Amino acid sequence: TLEVESSIEVGIMPEGLLYDLSNLWVANSGGSTLSKVDVASNTVIETIEVGQGPQNIEINNEEVYVSRRYYDSSWNEFHGSSKISGGNVIIKDYASGIVCGGSVLKFNDAVYRSYDGGIYPLDSELNLESAGRIGEYDSSPYSVEVINNFLWFGIKGDVDENYIESNGTVRVLDSSGAEVSFYNVGIAPGDFAHWTK
């Protein structure tokens, strides 16, 4: 009917969403919480503190992973990751100025975080494992998604001395990390979606 059926009040600036076949997880990027929504009743059943700036969410082996990006009062950018495991929350902040992007994803039976021109597997304490890096680009990925076992990297364009941005690119990598496709696109390629008719 193209009409709003119900509204669910969550946290500040809801951004990342993940549906686990029972609940909808909402990353409240303007705050520090995830909202867990029961889709049968359209009610928030839990609000979980995960650290400032939650953006994207991934679930692996009943653990919830969160990528985070946030700013201080001078607009310095910070990045981190969080994990909800068995009722406990692990929060890992990375050094200021480190370019991480905002993606967390499951690929090849591991959870990865975008960082420094690629993606890195996360260990149990949310440290970035450089040995498992996939992708080596000059710019940190603006977004990364897994579609049909391929990695889709959205790489933001550069900014010249006159603050003019060039177009970004989309790079597609196979399961071994080899680039198989390349596309010139708009300035900051964000989310990806795939569907079949």
Short mmCIF file of all heavy atoms in Angstrom, two decimals, residues 3 11 101 103 139 183:
data_model
loop_
_atom_site.label_atom_id
_atom_site.label_comp_id
_atom_site.label_asym_id
_atom_site.label_seq_id
_atom_site.Cartn_x
_atom_site.Cartn_y
_atom_site.Cartn_z
N GLU A 3 2.29 2.59 2.46
CA GLU A 3 2.04 3.34 3.68
C GLU A 3 2.88 2.77 4.82
O GLU A 3 3.15 1.57 4.85
CB GLU A 3 0.56 3.26 4.06
CG GLU A 3 -0.36 3.95 3.06
CD GLU A 3 -1.82 3.88 3.45
OE1 GLU A 3 -2.10 3.39 4.57
OE2 GLU A 3 -2.66 4.29 2.65
N GLY A 11 17.82 4.09 18.66
CA GLY A 11 18.77 5.09 19.14
C GLY A 11 18.97 6.23 18.16
O GLY A 11 18.20 6.41 17.22
N GLY A 101 37.62 2.91 7.33
CA GLY A 101 36.36 2.73 6.65
C GLY A 101 35.33 2.22 7.64
O GLY A 101 35.54 2.25 8.84
N SER A 103 33.38 -0.95 7.22
CA SER A 103 32.81 -2.26 6.91
C SER A 103 33.30 -3.34 7.85
O SER A 103 34.47 -3.38 8.22
CB SER A 103 33.16 -2.65 5.47
OG SER A 103 32.58 -1.75 4.56
N SER A 139 43.67 3.91 -1.50
CA SER A 139 42.69 4.49 -0.59
C SER A 139 42.03 3.39 0.21
O SER A 139 41.85 2.27 -0.27
CB SER A 139 41.60 5.23 -1.37
OG SER A 139 42.12 6.34 -2.03
N TYR A 183 35.37 -1.02 -12.09
CA TYR A 183 34.39 -0.09 -12.63
C TYR A 183 34.70 1.33 -12.14
O TYR A 183 34.96 1.52 -10.94
CB TYR A 183 32.97 -0.45 -12.18
CG TYR A 183 32.57 -1.86 -12.51
CD1 TYR A 183 32.69 -2.87 -11.56
CD2 TYR A 183 32.06 -2.18 -13.76
CE1 TYR A 183 32.31 -4.18 -11.86
CE2 TYR A 183 31.69 -3.48 -14.07
CZ TYR A 183 31.82 -4.47 -13.11
OH TYR A 183 31.45 -5.76 -13.41
#
